[in-house]
Each structure stands twice: as C-alpha cells, then as structure tokens.
Amino acid sequence: VMNQQTLAIHSGYEKDAQSTMAVPIYQSTAYEFRDTEHAANLFELKELGNIYSRLMNPTTDVFEKRFSALEGGAAAIGTASGMAAIFYAIANVAEAGDNIIAAKEVYGGTTTLTGHTIKRFGIETRYFDVKNPIEIEGLVDEKTKLILFESITNPSVDVADIDAITEIADRHNILTCADNTVATPIFCKPLTLGCDLVVHSASKYATGQGLAIGGIIVERENLVEKIKGNPRYYHFNEPDESYHGLVYSDLPLPLFTLRVRLALLRDLGAAPSPFNSWLFIQGLETLTLRMKQHAESALEIAKFLEAHPKVKKVNYPGLESNENYAVAQKYLKGGCSGLLSFEVEDKETAQKIADATEIFTLVANIGDSKSIITHPASTTHQQLSAQELIEAGVPGGLLRVSVGLEDTQDLIDDLKKAIG
C-alpha cells in the first residue's frame, strides 16, 4: 500500500498508448463505440467505459480515483463545483417530504442551499450546533436521510466531533456526509473515522492556486452494508425504471457515486470540465507539501493575533487556548489547515482592517497560494440576519483569513499594520 504523498502523484493513472508521464487532457465530448453491441453493453452496464463526458471522462476519472485514494474511499465522482457536490449528495438520498440535518456552522453557500433552495424541492433542513452534537438526537425521524457537517467549519473554524455525530447516525441508520474542504485528506480522513460520505470544493486547496471551480463526492468502502435493505433508502433497493430496472444495492460496485453518475449527472448535468479535472490533478501532486506550510504559517499568525490587544478572539484549533484544541488533537493529524478567523470590536473596524491589508487580498475564496482576507458578514454570509450571523458563528466583527504560501513574517507585518 502506497503512502499519501506517493498516492498523490501516481494513484489512478494507467498510461495510455502514448505513455505520457503527465496525465493527458481528454478534451472530448463523446467517445467512439467499437460496434452497436459494444454501445449496448455500455448503456446496460455489462461493460464499463466511456460514453459521453457529462457522465465520465478519462481525465476526470484519474482525478476521481486519486482523490478517493487520498481520502481512503471506495470511489469518487467529480462535479462542476463544490456546491454541485453538496446538492448531489443531498439529492441522491432525499426527496419531497424528507428532511436532512445540517450543522449551523457551515459555509454560507451551504446555509442558503439547505435553508432556502432545497425547500422548494420539498426537502426540509433541521439544524444542530456542531459544538453540541447531542442535539441531533432530537431532530431525527423516519424521514431523515442525511446528516451534513464540516470537519473544520468555514468560517467559524470549529472542529466537528466525528465520533459523536457518527454514533448517533449509525444508531438510526442514517448516512453522514462530512465536507472536508478545509481540513483536506492531508489532515483529516473522515471516511476512516466512521463517516459514510465526504464532499469537497476542489476549487480551494485541491487546486491550490485559485485556478478552477470543481467539486467531488467520495464514498467509503462497503457503504452498501448500510444502504441494502434500509427503508430510508428504498430507491437504492428497488428497480430504477429510468435505468432498465437496475437495483443499485445488488451491484458489486460502489453504489452511491454510481447513482450520482447514472441519475444526477445524466439528468442535471453539473459535470466537471476535463481541463479543470487536469488542474486538480496538478494540485493534488503538491497538496501534502502545501498543507504543511499553510498550517505552519497559520499557527504562527494565530499566535500573533492572540497576543494583539485589539483582537477580541482568535479561532484556530491549533491554539492550546482554543475550545476546539482537544477535539482537533483527536481528529486532525499533522496540522489544522490554513484557515483562521479573528474577531475585532465591531463590523466597521473589521471592514477597515480588510481594506487596509496589502499582501492579504480581499477575495471570497480560501485555499489559494495567495493569502486572502474576507469579511463574511459583508460577503459570503450577507444574506443572513444579525441573529443568524451570530448563530452561524459569524458576528459582524469577524474576519476570515486564508493563510497562503508567502513568507510568514511578511504576512504578520501586513496584519500588524492593518490592525494598527
């Protein structure tokens, strides 16, 4: 079995007839069938192979296999964005009349998706405090289909107690889905810690240079054991009339991502571009090295901010003073990522600091090699009320910082000058 850094460079790629060292970009819409029998076999799943790039693509296939290997999963499926990955994870299990349970402390886009958009599909979202997972127990009923949370929350930078969440979920036979975007598989592998699914915005640390939009869903080994015969997921256990009466739980294949491919990508079409998949492959090659540097610099900056008289609070789980420190030590191995947030007196002060930085750029993104500062109350969480902002761990005076790969002392000097 190969170790993490070797998997990041070699996993999932079998050289084609040209024997290129670099994974090729297969920039093609469709693929030729050998004959009509071959075409029929592909459509009936008697053979596996390329049909159309909305469903599968050889470059994306390497990205999926490589990411799955890094997460310790059974299979993965790429999507056009991280939000598409989250939506597909929900839509693959829930329908009108169902509900999901989500952490209050999640990315603003996930909050609006779960709180507003999927309501129009007839799917209800019930929220729990990620710092108090016992709340999940009172939210579960027979229509609950998914428990969704972030391993490291964005932007409140809390660390989920994965054992506590999965224990409740497993007792009720409900699937769990961890958004592992911030931690990355370098620092946390939720699938090996009891989670059923992982989602990522590959637009963040996976690309690492702010180059491309994409997402991915990874499922754990032997997920069929939880789904087969489970009345919550009847549609995996009954014939799919849109696909020749296929019963997903009878297949000797990873079934969750397969259904995303055959039903959701087929019908809704948020497929990744082959070029973007290729960019993510390049990013994965250096992910281990970059994450170590992001985390090292973030810890130094967090310590500087903690000692600053104008900073009310610093949210970084690598700080011994942080309320998440113990749980971070349990679940995060080797570092706490490059995301931190800190609180100053009020919204106006926070906005002045964000406007005054020179190296930190004011951008609504994270995970870039360039350092980024964001005022969530003005941007990613702007749609939330003052009370909702506080509940999401995003008060008006909060600034989110994505620590890049610049010299750490230069970054500290930049913040020192901006805070004043």
Side-chain angles (χ1 to χ4, degrees), residues 171-189:
R171 207 159 10 89
H172 293 283
N173 242 349
I174 300 166
L175 296 182
T176 48
C177 180
D179 184 330
N180 202 33
T181 299
V182 176
T184 77
I186 307 310
F187 294 139
C188 184
K189 291 180 168 55

Side-chain angles (χ1 to χ4, degrees), residues 44-48 74-75 219-225 228 236 246-259 262:
E44 288 179 47
L45 294 184
K46 287 181 180 175
E47 285 184 55
L48 296 179
E219 71 177 278
R220 70 165 170 85
E221 296 279 357
N222 301 317
L223 187 56
V224 66
E225 293 169 0
K228 195 170 179 69
F236 282 90
L246 179 75
V247 178
Y248 289 95
S249 63
D250 286 346
L251 293 173
L253 296 166
L255 75 174
F256 191 92
T257 48
L258 184 68
R259 189 178 182 277
L262 298 185

Side-chain angles (χ1 to χ4, degrees), residues 2 7-14 23 48-50 56-78 216-219 221 254 257 261 277 281 284:
M2 289 186 284
L7 288 171
I9 292 173
H10 294 287
S11 181
Y13 177 45
E14 293 178 19
V23 177
L48 296 179
N50 297 308
M56 67 221 20
N57 171 277
T59 309
T60 300
D61 183 59
V62 176
F63 167 55
E64 291 167 344
K65 285 175 176 168
R66 194 161 292 184
F67 213 111
S68 178
L70 285 174
E71 281 285 9
I77 185 152
I216 198 160
I217 306 171
V218 191
E219 71 177 278
E221 296 279 357
T257 48
R261 192 180 301 281
S277 294
I281 290 165
L284 291 183

Side-chain angles (χ1 to χ4, degrees), residues 34 37-49 51:
R34 292 191 303 270
E37 182 185 6
H38 178 225
N41 286 345
L42 289 172
F43 276 84
E44 288 179 47
L45 294 184
K46 287 181 180 175
E47 285 184 55
L48 296 179
I51 295 172

Side-chain angles (χ1 to χ4, degrees), residues 248-300:
Y248 289 95
S249 63
D250 286 346
L251 293 173
L253 296 166
L255 75 174
F256 191 92
T257 48
L258 184 68
R259 189 178 182 277
V260 172
R261 192 180 301 281
L262 298 185
L264 302 182
L265 278 184
R266 177 194 65 189
D267 296 342
L268 301 176
S273 143
F275 184 71
N276 285 4
S277 294
W278 181 81
L279 288 171
F280 300 140
I281 290 165
Q282 312 318 304
L284 291 183
E285 290 195 0
T286 60
L287 183 62
T288 305
L289 306 171
R290 288 187 287 107
M291 291 313 297
K292 285 177 182 171
Q293 185 60 54
H294 284 301
E296 194 179 297
S297 294
L299 182 57
E300 279 191 56

Side-chain angles (χ1 to χ4, degrees), residues 7 14 77 138 150 193 197 213 229 289-290 306 315 353 371-372 399 412:
L7 288 171
E14 293 178 19
I77 185 152
E150 295 175 352
L193 296 169
L197 305 164
I213 299 288
L289 306 171
R290 288 187 287 107
E306 190 173 45
N315 301 310
I353 292 167
S371 289
I372 289 167
L399 286 161
I412 289 171

